[in-house]
Amino acid sequence: MKKFVANMAAPVDEIFSFCVDPDKVAGGVQVRFIDNVKGKGLFAKRIIKKGEVIFIEHPLVCAQFLWNALYGYKACDYCLRALETAEENARRLTGNPALSLPYPELCPVRPQLHLVCPHCQVMYCSAECRQAAADQYHRALCLGPSYEDPDHPVNKLKDAWRSMHYPPETSSIMLLARMVATVKQAKDKAHWQKLFSCFCSRTANEEDELAHKLLGEKFWGQLTVLLSLFKEALYDDQLSQWFVPEGFRSLFALVGTNGQGIGTSSLSQWVHACDALELPAQQRAQLDSFIDQLYKDIERETGDFLNSEGSGLFLVQSSCNHSCVPNAEASFPDNNSLLHLSALCDIDPGQEICISYLDCCQRSRSRHSRHKTLRENYMFVCSCAKCVSQTDEPDVTSEEEEDDEEEAEAEVATEGDEMEDEMTDV
């Protein structure tokens, strides 16, 4: 999710050919430079109908959130496919080890295909993912027999990140680590550096005097610690520009403003498969009632943390600018990191394809609150049609929204203390 001018070192046709099927995508959409403020954008070259999948894209690199993994959300280390069966997932989320799901054959997870790295026990959903990870970055990151050693430089880096960034997480230091490892392993290092250079990595928006919230003065101490550990774990002479303060801050800005959240769930896939079943009315009512109760039990036990979660860098999707009234949205219906961008309404030729960087709850808030979130996380001031129409609204945050923010901050602080106490029991 970029803002401002990205370095378009890689031509657009290379972006398409690397990430997606150009025969299906390049003829339907176009990446274009807009201006010095918005940078590039994605535009329709033909009529796109509501509900149509505009394109499907693999990430250049992705990583599971570290707290998510620590708390038992099992995901393929390469594609983030959820590795628990739907029943295993439901049992853990409800806290009910005796729970049985009807129609278990609808779960797409195949544990017999799962494999581990023979050296460090990292898990994969298939031999193909294990090989792909090894070929791209894992050889440079494999901890071997030291995978449980808290003094290993990579584990020290992970622990430091967890101590600074409690759930809900929005990024992971391992996304940066995999970028470095990818270039270190690559035969054509310039090619990968060129691809990563397509993402905007500005640490501030000088025009509007905005800086990313994780790069403010109060975080400089954290960044110094992380840089030292990052250098100890991953330093490479050919990437020395990423291991100095300004380069490291640029990496942070890159993943902070371009990273796309990824959520996978075998339980969700099982539910969708159940919804598609053709059943007699009584059986349908019973199944729907069972699923409704299941989600109530999960909400009571686990809250909102339902999915295996991580983030990734997607070259084409990152060209989509934000709108508070988006005409497209990203999803992950295949239970892995394969991104589907779908149209929320009909899109005409020449029209810009926009997604929302805000969730549904954030989009329903006041213009002032939306702008506050976008300034802190993406360093721009939104001028979409909705924001323009609400220009005369007072620049104040409602009491309800302020209360929500204070409660969220208090909950994060409390959860952080509790998580540190519980880590030995995980």
Side-chain angles (χ1 to χ4, degrees), residues 353-402:
I353 298 170
C354 293
I355 59 176
S356 177
Y357 300 176
L358 306 174
D359 61 31
C360 291
C361 180
Q362 291 169 325
R363 291 201 299 271
S364 67
R365 292 185 167 183
S366 67
R367 175 180 180 270
H368 178 69
S369 294
R370 298 196 307 273
H371 280 204
K372 178 176 183 291
T373 300
L374 292 168
R375 284 196 306 269
E376 291 179 345
N377 290 278
Y378 304 104
M379 300 180 295
F380 72 95
V381 177
C382 184
S383 58
C384 72
K386 181 176 181 178
C387 287
V388 170
S389 70
Q390 296 174 343
T391 301
D392 294 333
E393 285 188 357
D395 284 340
V396 294
T397 303
S398 69
E399 290 184 7
E400 181 181 350
E401 290 170 356
E402 289 177 345

Side-chain angles (χ1 to χ4, degrees), residues 220-238:
W220 284 359
Q222 291 185 357
L223 287 170
T224 300
V225 172
L226 286 172
L227 174 56
S228 176
L229 294 170
F230 195 70
K231 189 181 298 185
E232 180 185 358
L234 295 158
Y235 183 78
D236 186 277
D237 283 335
Q238 296 186 59

